[in-house]
Amino acid sequence: MERQVVQRAKEAFLSGRARGLEFRLQQLHALQSMITEKETEICTALKQDINRSQYDTPLLELIGIENEIKLAIEKIAEWTAPRPVEKNLLTISDEVYVQPEPLGVVLIIGAWNYPWALTLLPLIGAIAAGNAAVVKPSELSECSSLLLRALLPRYLDKDLYPVVMGGAAETQELLRLRFDHVFYTGSSAVGKLVMEAAARHLTPVTLELGGKSPCYIDKDCDIRVACRRITWGKFVNCGQTCIAPDYILCEPCIQSRVIECIRRTLLEFYGADPKCSADYSRIINQRHFTRIMSLMEGYTPVVGGQSDPSQCYIAPTVLKDVPPHSRLMQEEIFGPVLPIVTVSDMDDAINFINEREKPLALYIFCSNKKEAKRMIEETTSGGVTVNDVMMHYSLSSLPFGGVGQSGMGSYHGKHTFERLSHHRACMLRSLNMESVNLARYPPQDRVSWKTGRLCLLRTRMRQSCP
């Protein structure tokens, strides 16, 4: 089944119809229509999958998808145009440029926590770049995946952009096949398996993984505002966001105030009982519920801690004075549990971050811009936001991706197009002016050597678009 689907996608790509700009634009417009026309059904599916609010899905996923489609439609002619490069004396009369061209057939393996954005954003870039794409949504977000399978063939070319359903076995079968690029969003553990499988075919990969994204709160910042923004970013989607703040770093003198500000914000956001709030989501399944609950064993929550396995419900939870080497601090939480680790100052926080794997995101709350920039300079992460959380993700102009264990490769906006394109070096020469080439032909002497050296020395000479 998987082999036949991939073969059809390859044949459709080789037909050449995905390359034409008019076709790419038509497919992007069709995808835009799907999001607009089926918003209600998409929101309903996510309500069934993780109890997400009908208002959150447009804000967290659909508006971003629409913006990316609009950007691609607006900029596709510019992105696909030949890009002139500098020339030297030997090539001064030549036409020299970089031509973005399609890679071929891309495999997109989506994730369950944001099943529409994390699947369709790479697909937008794949379409814009002229590729075919096999879409594999996550089986965990079952309602969303079934809806995607039903909708995509109605709006897009069903041979160029097929949807393959299934779990681990089907994904493994796909990974045995040869693709021109694999785009995976998910855990680091599975990311390693994806990379290993792709290596057998020398297939390049984009791995959008995760990790423990630190959030440092400086004692001199506006702690009330900082905690409002952190509380939103941590507990939206029930903490199941790859760039959610994973833990807080702060000095002991402000820990109690941080806890109280988060407590008050949670009351404002979700009421006295978040379980009854229409704005509070649920854990995706029983396995992840059990995993998160086990991480909290041995701790007494200072906020929250309530749970209901029948609903996969875990209340927004805060834990204080968490030991740096505890199990809770070794793996990504990916749930509504927020540990607080105390540090002596910003330098201690920087050391704490640098002693661990490079995170997907870093958040710094600090009123002193110079100090905030120092922390940026002395650490590394996939992305960083100062005085807010997760908002860097919303900008298509910023590349989104990890570094080290948090991933490789970046996307969003033009960055997705670039990632899923081959940048072909092109030189068009004339058969005239053969005398110019004498300096490179044998037999060589000192005069021809000097002439050749002069011609090859780097000279900044730009050309206009061919």
Side-chain angles (χ1 to χ4, degrees):
M1 169 65 176
E2 289 80 13
R3 189 177 295 274
Q4 293 169 348
V5 170
V6 175
Q7 185 58 36
R8 278 200 304 273
K10 287 183 177 179
E11 290 170 1
F13 174 76
L14 290 173
S15 75
R17 66 178 180 268
R19 285 179 170 264
L21 282 196
E22 284 187 18
F23 179 86
R24 302 186 205 186
L25 286 167
Q26 185 269 325
Q27 295 293 296
L28 290 169
H29 280 295
L31 192 59
Q32 189 174 33
S33 297
M34 185 186 89
I35 297 299
T36 305
E37 294 168 10
K38 302 300 179 182
E39 179 176 322
T40 301
E41 289 92 327
I42 292 170
C43 291
T44 300
L46 279 160
K47 180 71 176 175
Q48 294 170 323
D49 283 331
I50 54 173
N51 195 48
R52 189 192 286 168
S53 159
Q54 62 175 322
Y55 302 110
D56 270 349
T57 292
L59 290 172
L60 297 174
E61 298 199 64
L62 303 187
I63 293 172
I65 294 170
E66 289 186 75
N67 285 340
E68 292 259 322
I69 295 172
K70 290 174 184 174
L71 179 68
I73 290 171
E74 178 189 339
K75 298 287 188 180
I76 192 167
E78 176 187 321
W79 294 350
T80 57
R83 304 170 187 181
V85 295
E86 293 175 7
K87 298 186 283 187
N88 58 24
L89 284 172
L90 276 177
T91 60
I92 193 169
S93 62
D94 301 333
E95 198 175 306
V96 186
Y97 57 94
V98 175
Q99 178 64 61
E101 63 177 28
L103 291 172
V105 182
V106 177
L107 172 61
I108 299 171
I109 305 174
W112 54 262
N113 55 327
Y114 293 90
W116 296 87
L118 299 180
T119 306
L120 296 186
L121 292 184
L123 179 60
I124 293 164
I127 294 170
N131 298 293
V134 176
V135 177
K136 170 59 183 70
S138 171
E139 73 281 7
L140 299 188
S141 49
E142 184 179 3
C143 296
S144 294
S145 296
L146 288 170
L147 182 60
L148 183 65
R149 182 182 67 174
L151 292 181
L152 217 57
R154 291 188 209 168
Y155 287 85
L156 299 185
D157 186 304
K158 65 180 186 302
D159 292 326
L160 279 168
Y161 314 111
V163 179
V164 175
M165 301 292 284
E170 288 75 14
T171 304
Q172 288 169 0
E173 183 59 35
L174 282 170
L175 288 169
R176 290 190 188 100
L177 305 175
R178 182 174 180 175
F179 290 90
D180 298 290
H181 195 98
V182 176
F183 197 112
Y184 168 77
T185 303
S187 70
S188 297
V190 177
K192 292 175 183 177
L193 298 176
V194 170
M195 191 171 180
E196 183 181 355
R200 297 189 187 104
H201 300 291
L202 292 180
T203 298
V205 296
T206 300
L207 302 178
E208 298 297 335
L209 309 177
K212 298 184 75 64
S213 296
C215 181
Y216 172 71
I217 306 176
D218 187 79
K219 64 181 179 182
D220 296 323
C221 78
D222 188 328
I223 293 173
R224 185 186 67 84
V225 172
C227 288
R228 280 176 65 81
R229 297 179 183 185
I230 293 165
T231 300
W232 169 76
K234 178 63 182 180
F235 299 110
V236 70
N237 213 46
C238 206
Q240 299 165 119
T241 306
C242 60
I243 51 170
D246 191 272
Y247 60 93
I248 287 175
L249 295 173
C250 69
E251 294 182 33
C253 62
I254 64 168
Q255 182 176 222
S256 296
R257 191 170 169 211
V258 166
I259 292 167
E260 186 55 31
C261 286
I262 293 174
R263 188 199 314 276
R264 289 178 184 175
T265 305
L266 285 169
L267 187 63
E268 176 191 343
F269 285 2
Y270 304 116
D273 185 4
K275 190 178 180 183
C276 300
S277 170
D279 295 299
Y280 191 68
S281 302
R282 297 293 185 269
I283 300 302
I284 185 68
N285 59 23
Q286 199 65 45
R287 180 172 67 86
H288 280 281
F289 173 88
T290 303
R291 177 188 62 80
I292 296 165
M293 291 301 296
S294 71
L295 288 175
M296 292 194 286
E297 287 177 2
Y299 296 98
T300 302
V302 290
V303 176
Q306 301 83 4
S307 64
D308 181 351
S310 69
Q311 288 191 26
C312 286
Y313 167 78
I314 300 175
T317 299
V318 180
L319 307 173
K320 74 170 189 174
D321 295 323
V322 175
H325 301 293
S326 63
R327 182 184 162 217
L328 190 64
M329 293 302 297
Q330 301 310 307
E331 61 182 82
E332 184 178 9
I333 296 168
F334 219 68
V337 179
L338 182 59
I340 300 177
V341 178
T342 56
V343 290
S344 57
D345 53 23
M346 180 179 280
D347 288 324
D348 194 18
I350 289 169
N351 290 334
F352 187 95
I353 293 164
N354 289 339
E355 286 169 357
R356 286 156 177 79
E357 297 291 354
K358 297 169 184 176
L360 183 56
L362 168 63
Y363 304 115
I364 305 164
F365 286 86
C366 181
S367 299
N368 186 323
K369 195 171 185 179
K370 185 178 178 182
E371 284 294 278
K373 286 195 170 182
R374 179 171 77 86
M375 193 168 197
I376 292 172
E377 289 168 3
E378 295 183 15
T379 58
T380 188
S381 61
V384 58
T385 297
V386 175
N387 293 328
D388 210 336
V389 297
M390 308 205 306
M391 293 306 292
H392 63 290
Y393 178 90
S394 67
L395 266 183
S396 294
S397 54
L398 284 174
F400 178 79
V403 57
Q405 292 294 302
S406 59
M408 62 178 65
S410 57
Y411 73 121
H412 284 188
K414 187 180 180 182
H415 305 287
T416 319
F417 176 89
E418 297 289 296
R419 187 70 183 169
L420 298 180
S421 295
H422 167 58
H423 298 89
R424 192 177 191 181
C426 300
M427 176 184 283
L428 282 69
R429 308 205 75 190
S430 167
L431 288 171
N432 298 325
M433 298 178 65
E434 178 64 4
S435 59
V436 175
N437 296 313
L438 295 178
R440 67 179 183 172
Y441 296 151
Q444 292 283 327
D445 57 30
R446 186 164 184 81
V447 174
S448 62
W449 175 82
K450 280 187 175 181
T451 305
R453 182 175 181 275
L454 177 65
C455 291
L456 288 170
L457 280 174
R458 187 174 183 275
T459 308
R460 297 181 64 87
M461 295 180 180
R462 288 201 163 274
Q463 70 170 39
S464 58
C465 282

